[in-house]
Amino acid sequence: MNQSTKPVKLSRVNTGLVVFIVVVNSYIVVMPFVPAITFWLQSHSMARQRLKQELLAPSAVPAGVSTPPIQNRLIIPAMLLDAPINEGSASVALRKGLWHLPGSGNPTAGGNMVIAGHRFTYTNPEGVLYNLNRVVTGDIVGVFWQNKRYLYTVHTVTIVPPTDSTIEAPSSQNQLTIYTCTPLWWPKDRLVVIADLETNS
């Protein structure tokens, strides 16, 4: 009886292992595409147009009226992004989303404001900058900083090696540099978007 039950038990174990391997492999293959599908569905729901209209709309707050402080945010309609900008150490800030590199510029102080974020990890497939590759020159980018809105226009989209530190270098002009890892499955380089300040309100 023991001999007859052993093959049955081994068969169940083997079946379980095969199912486990199939599930894990399916997860590895499918997960990188899920955020792209989500983006496609959202872009067909007019979300991009609404986000752009909100970004460009005149301020509803009359001049001289104080408003409660709001969290600093980055808005990029082309990639359906509206996310808080986090300060502090890289490890903590990047887990939350966008990271403003310490010591880099900002809209009020001027210089090169550098923001980084993950594009894709298996623990967080839809990284905050997953769709950064959808940004093109001429796109509008908004930064809400200390209760003011600043509009930037993208003039450069490029890929550089991770050893290229020039993208984080100080600038004499007021600009915004956003970068993440690329390509999606083999993040050996950096995808970089650079924009110049246009207006603020």
Side-chain angles (χ1 to χ4, degrees):
M1 186 173 179
N2 288 339
Q3 290 180 347
S4 64
T5 57
K6 282 183 180 178
V8 174
K9 289 181 180 178
L10 287 175
S11 176
R12 289 177 180 171
V13 169
N14 287 339
T15 301
L17 287 174
V18 169
V19 169
F20 176 76
I21 290 169
V22 168
V23 169
V24 170
N25 285 340
S26 298
Y27 177 83
I28 291 171
V29 171
V30 171
M31 286 312 294
F33 295 103
V34 171
I37 295 169
T38 303
F39 178 87
W40 183 84
L41 293 172
Q42 290 176 336
S43 64
H44 282 72
S45 67
M46 304 297 287
R48 184 184 309 181
Q49 288 80 358
R50 284 197 300 270
L51 193 57
K52 189 172 183 179
Q53 287 172 356
E54 290 173 10
L55 181 61
L56 298 177
S59 174
V61 181
V65 175
S66 61
T67 59
I70 58 173
Q71 187 170 11
N72 297 331
R73 303 185 70 80
L74 176 68
I75 299 175
I76 309 178
M79 56 180 289
L80 303 180
L81 178 72
D82 181 356
I85 300 171
N86 302 294
E87 307 285 343
S89 67
S91 59
V92 175
L94 287 172
R95 277 199 302 269
K96 296 178 181 178
L98 297 172
W99 175 46
H100 176 216
L101 271 67
S104 71
N106 64 62
T108 55
N112 183 20
M113 181 178 190
V114 183
I115 296 177
H118 289 305
R119 188 173 182 198
F120 172 84
T121 63
Y122 279 102
T123 55
N124 181 22
E126 190 169 5
V128 68
L129 294 180
Y130 181 94
N131 292 304
L132 189 62
N133 63 311
R134 299 181 185 275
V135 177
V136 298
T137 57
D139 279 345
I140 296 172
V141 176
V143 172
F144 280 87
W145 187 265
Q146 297 178 354
N147 278 26
K148 284 188 177 181
R149 176 182 55 190
Y150 298 84
L151 297 180
Y152 296 77
T153 301
V154 175
H155 65 76
T156 300
V157 179
T158 186
I159 294 175
V160 301
T163 53
D164 187 348
S165 60
T166 59
I167 61 172
E168 299 177 1
S171 170
S172 58
Q173 61 186 21
N174 207 328
Q175 73 177 35
L176 173 65
T177 301
I178 307 163
Y179 72 82
T180 190
C181 295
T182 198
L184 203 58
W185 290 279
W186 185 32
K188 62 183 182 68
D189 294 316
R190 287 175 174 171
L191 173 60
V192 185
V193 169
I194 304 174
D196 285 337
L197 180 67
E198 299 296 336
T199 59
N200 65 80
S201 59

